[in-house]
Amino acid sequence: MRLRLPEERPTEPPTGYKIAHPALSQDGSRAAFLGVSLGAALPYGVLDEARCAYGRRHRSPSRLCDCGFHCLHERSEAYALTCVAEHRGALLLEVAVLGRYMRFERGSRYARQRVCTATAGPCRCGRRASGLADAGWGRPGWRVVEPVCAVCAGPRVTVSFADFATRGGEGLKVLAAPGPDVGAPPPGRTVPELVAEAALLQARLDWFQSELARLGEKDG
């Protein structure tokens, strides 16, 4: 006798959290996401269906395969994944779990999803990100972009969060995580401290100039 797991019939789609790299199509008209594990080779849209990453002809998710979309139950656990070096440019996604799904202790594996909200972390310099710029890598037909501030974007073409959301469609919202704005002094440094340091440097410069003048008089 084979035991069957209980079936859930929620009145609303369950919510999950995951991280993914934002990407733009080669012509810049469409926005999508690249996963950070099994599905990293297959970009998916804001509203999309899972496909077997191994090319097998079965519906995802299958109990005999590990394909399908994956998400975590806790936002904090998903956000912690952005600490990994290769995931620093990934966005934190809040997704609606649609279709068939399997619930596990820490997350779910499921057939369809809608990305409701994407939150961009700070720029690599620590400032609050103001847009998305070319990250320097991608997949055939897709360019990965990453959160940047106006200073670090430099000459790179930057796509605003609102523009990326429009290209993604399906009601996607893209937000920026809190952080210091561009032009704010580095953490722990105040304006009076900077003034005092400048005065100290000027005093040292005056001392060097007086020493050079004294040595010049001796040589003369």
Side-chain angles (χ1 to χ4, degrees), residues 18 42 44 47-53 56 58-62 67-70 98 100 109-113:
K18 62 195 300 182
L42 300 174
Y44 57 84
L47 177 63
D48 212 336
E49 294 189 9
R51 301 177 293 278
C52 181
R56 297 169 182 165
H58 58 231
R59 290 196 306 165
S60 297
S62 170
C67 63
F69 289 124
H70 295 73
L98 307 174
R100 299 169 55 249
R109 185 158 62 93
Y110 48 101
R112 300 179 68 234
Q113 75 175 7

Side-chain angles (χ1 to χ4, degrees), residues 184-198:
R189 307 296 296 277
T190 63
V191 173
E193 289 175 338
L194 294 175
V195 172
E197 185 172 341

